[in-house]
Every structure is written in structure tokens, then in C-alpha cells.
Amino acid sequence: MNLKQISILGCGWLGLPLAKDFIKEGISVKGSTTSPDKIDILTQSGITPYLLTLGEASSATYLDFLSESELLIINFPPRRIPNITEVYQQQIRSILPYIGNNQKVIFISSTSVYENTNDWVTEIRHTQPEKESGKAVAAVEQILHTQLQHHLTIIRLSGLIGYDRLPGRFLANKKEVPNGDAPINVIHRDDCLGIIKSVINTNNWGEIFNGCADKHPLRKEYYTLAAEKIGLTPPTFSNHKDTAYKLISNAKSKEVLAYEYLHPDPLKLL
């Protein structure tokens, strides 16, 4: 896919470095933020900035943001509020009428749409989220799929790590943490960007891909070492034996996209 311009809805921790990578490749990027303080950051990065809050933006803003972009990347997670499933769907529906028939869309989703199976999970698994944020994401996936069909590709990312996201801080000093014997599912930001660009470069539309590191160390092993590496007190884990987990398979991303993970072993990143 030979792109001239992309619109990225959400230029935060993942969207901003993604935009910078596209600009290095000579692609123009329109990027949105909900924070006025970030407008200068986007401008300095070479991004055409938009102060845009879904559900509140004007028709003119939506049209301008999407105008002449061959691809829209929707990249913002649901907020942690009581009615997030309803709000998140309303937000997405507000921009749908302005997406052109010839525009491709990538939706950055989450593996939280899957239930714990105590087994491997692939993209063909029926989504049955257990938490409200996962329910919100699954509902939006369905809305986008119904509206866009073969113009849409969904990328379900596991837990995001890398750079300033230091997992050693997540559980440090906590006591009796459950599920210590559960395998973890995480993905480094470098690989998030790599999968997104691989979808574009291979022209894979109408698909769903999981994004996750190859290896799945145990939760207690990973978070203990992560805390120790940055000088924090490691968590302690409960002895409760009823472990609930899922193992996210990344096989499809490697087979269909021919993607080779840059950070296959989370333990080597600590």
C-alpha cells in the first residue's frame, strides 16, 4: 500500500511514535489529541495536529481530519468510567459517517476481549470479555466490523510494555497478589508498531491479528524480577491454586504477515 497520508486518532504513547515513523518514511500524518498541551508536541514532530474529542467535534473538524487520508488508525483506549461501554460506542459512532468508502481503517484493540480459557487463544475464538473495558472494546469492534467490513483490520494487542512503561512498578510492594502461576501476555511497543506497519505493507484488510510476545513467563517470575531490576520491593503472591489465565497466540501475525518479533522474550527486556 503506497500511502501519501494517514490520519491517526490518538497520538499518545503508541500513536505518537507511530506517526513519527510514518513521517520518516515520507508519509504525511494528521494526528489528534484531546489535550491542548500536546498540540505543540505534535507540531514539532511534523504532525498536522487536531484537538479532537470524539462525540464533541464538529462535522467540519471530522471532515478535515479525514480528508485525503488513505488510512485511518483508531488508537485510543476506553476510559475507566462506570458507563464506558455505552460511551465508547457513542464516541466511535460519531466519526463513522465521515469515513470515506475508499478509506482503510486499522482499529487498535485489546486481547481483553477474550475470556480466560486456561488454554491458548487465537483470533477465531469468540470474544467473551470479562471486564468492562474489554466489553467496551468488543462492542466497538462489532460496530466497526458491521460498518466497514473488508476495509477494516483489527489488531488485538496484549499488555503494553517498553520504554517508560516499566512493569516493575505495576505490582511493586503489593501483598498476596493472585494468579502468580498464570502465564503473562505482553508486547513491546516496537512490536506494536511493527505489526501495524506489516498490515499496511502486506495489504491485509478484513482481518484480525493478535499481537503478543512469543514467550509467556509466569506472573510471579516476571513481576518479581521486574521490580528487583529497578530497585523496588517485589510483590508477594498468594498460595491460592485456582489460577485463571489465557495464552495469546501470535501465530497468525507471524504466518500471514511474515512478522518476526523484535522482542519475543519479555524476561530479556528486564
Side-chain angles (χ1 to χ4, degrees), residues 6-261:
I6 293 174
S7 294
I8 300 179
L9 187 64
C11 286
W13 184 82
L14 180 62
L16 181 59
L18 178 63
K20 289 179 178 179
D21 276 7
F22 286 135
I23 289 169
K24 287 178 183 176
E25 296 173 10
I27 300 170
S28 296
V29 176
K30 294 180 177 182
S32 79
T33 178
T34 59
S35 173
D37 296 338
K38 292 184 178 178
I39 291 294
D40 285 345
I41 295 174
L42 269 58
T43 301
Q44 291 166 12
S45 300
I47 302 165
T48 302
Y50 287 79
L51 188 63
L52 194 160
T53 299
L54 288 182
E56 299 178 14
S58 67
S59 296
T61 300
Y62 284 134
L63 288 169
D64 191 28
F65 176 66
L66 294 173
S67 175
E68 298 184 9
S69 289
E70 297 107 313
L71 171 66
L72 166 64
I73 299 176
I74 301 175
N75 170 51
F76 74 101
R79 293 179 294 162
R80 295 185 178 182
I81 56 177
N83 58 338
I84 183 52
T85 300
E86 178 183 347
V87 170
Y88 200 46
Q89 291 179 82
Q90 290 173 346
Q91 289 175 321
I92 291 297
R93 284 193 176 105
S94 72
I95 197 172
L96 278 178
Y98 305 98
I99 298 174
N101 292 331
N102 296 321
Q103 287 177 318
K104 298 294 193 296
V105 176
I106 291 176
F107 177 55
I108 305 302
S109 183
S110 167
T111 56
S112 64
V113 299
Y114 300 120
E115 65 179 322
N116 287 323
T117 63
N118 287 25
D119 203 349
W120 287 98
V121 174
T122 68
E123 292 84 349
I124 64 173
R125 179 83 188 185
H126 178 68
T127 59
Q128 194 169 345
E130 299 176 357
K131 295 182 179 180
E132 286 306 310
S133 59
K135 292 176 183 178
V137 172
V140 163
E141 280 191 8
Q142 186 58 48
I143 290 170
L144 290 171
H145 177 73
T146 300
Q147 179 82 14
L148 302 171
Q149 297 181 3
H150 63 279
H151 291 279
L152 168 74
T153 285
I154 296 169
I155 302 176
R156 295 171 176 162
L157 299 177
S158 297
L160 304 176
I161 61 171
Y163 301 101
D164 59 328
R165 289 202 176 189
L166 301 175
R169 295 176 180 170
F170 297 169
L171 299 179
N173 295 301
K174 295 188 180 297
K175 307 294 184 183
E176 293 298 300
V177 176
N179 271 351
D181 290 321
I184 65 164
N185 303 286
V186 295
I187 183 171
H188 193 279
R189 187 170 74 186
D190 292 346
D191 285 313
C192 297
L193 303 188
I195 292 171
I196 293 168
K197 288 185 283 187
S198 292
V199 166
I200 297 168
N201 292 336
T202 58
N203 239 352
N204 265 288
W205 306 107
E207 295 283 358
I208 299 174
F209 294 101
N210 291 336
C212 187
D214 290 355
K215 296 189 176 182
H216 306 262
L218 295 184
R219 195 177 193 210
K220 62 185 179 184
E221 177 187 18
Y222 181 72
Y223 286 105
T224 296
L225 182 58
E228 290 174 346
K229 286 286 187 178
I230 57 175
L232 298 179
T233 302
T236 61
F237 292 86
S238 70
N239 293 319
H240 199 274
K241 296 302 181 183
D242 290 337
T243 301
Y245 66 89
K246 56 199 169 207
L247 282 161
I248 302 298
S249 170
N250 67 6
K252 183 177 178 180
S253 66
K254 292 194 288 187
E255 292 168 4
V256 177
L257 301 176
Y259 184 72
E260 183 175 347
Y261 281 76

